Amino acid sequence: MAFTAVDFHDFVRLLSENPKWQTELRRLILTDELLELPDLVRRMADWQQAMAEEQRALAAEVRTLAEGQRILTEAQARTEARVGRLETALAE
């Protein structure tokens, strides 16, 4: 018995009317690896979201540290200037 285009269209219609059949057919046709892809993609998206949040937190921390470094550099320059003036005064 040949499987005709009409049979195929009937089969497709039956599948669209019976979601449980779609699930069972999917399990028969697709490999376990392909069936696991949606979950894997969701987990990767969650991981990427967590990494992006961590990167934003680290960037904020770097900005804070850079500002602290700038303040320390300015304070060091002022201290060096004062020490220079003190050395001059002591030498005189």
Side-chain angles (χ1 to χ4, degrees):
M1 176 199 248
F3 191 77
T4 67
V6 172
D7 294 332
F8 177 75
H9 290 293
D10 287 342
F11 179 65
V12 169
R13 181 184 49 77
L14 287 169
L15 284 175
S16 67
E17 294 171 358
N18 297 284
K20 289 181 183 178
W21 291 11
Q22 291 176 27
T23 302
E24 184 62 27
L25 184 61
R26 196 175 291 122
R27 273 193 292 257
L28 291 171
I29 294 175
L30 301 177
T31 65
D32 289 341
E33 290 83 10
L34 288 174
L35 291 171
E36 292 171 4
L37 278 177
D39 183 54
L40 178 61
V41 170
R42 268 190 296 283
R43 286 186 288 140
M44 287 177 64
D46 291 344
W47 176 81
Q48 192 277 332
Q49 177 81 23
M51 293 300 296
E53 290 170 9
E54 182 68 19
Q55 184 178 15
R56 282 190 287 277
L58 288 172
E61 186 66 23
V62 166
R63 284 190 294 275
T64 299
L65 290 171
E67 178 61 15
Q69 179 66 40
R70 185 189 63 74
I71 291 168
L72 287 172
T73 300
E74 289 172 358
Q76 179 67 32
R78 288 190 303 273
T79 300
E80 288 173 357
R82 288 180 185 143
V83 168
R85 287 192 301 273
L86 181 59
E87 287 174 340
T88 301
L90 289 174
E92 293 173 353

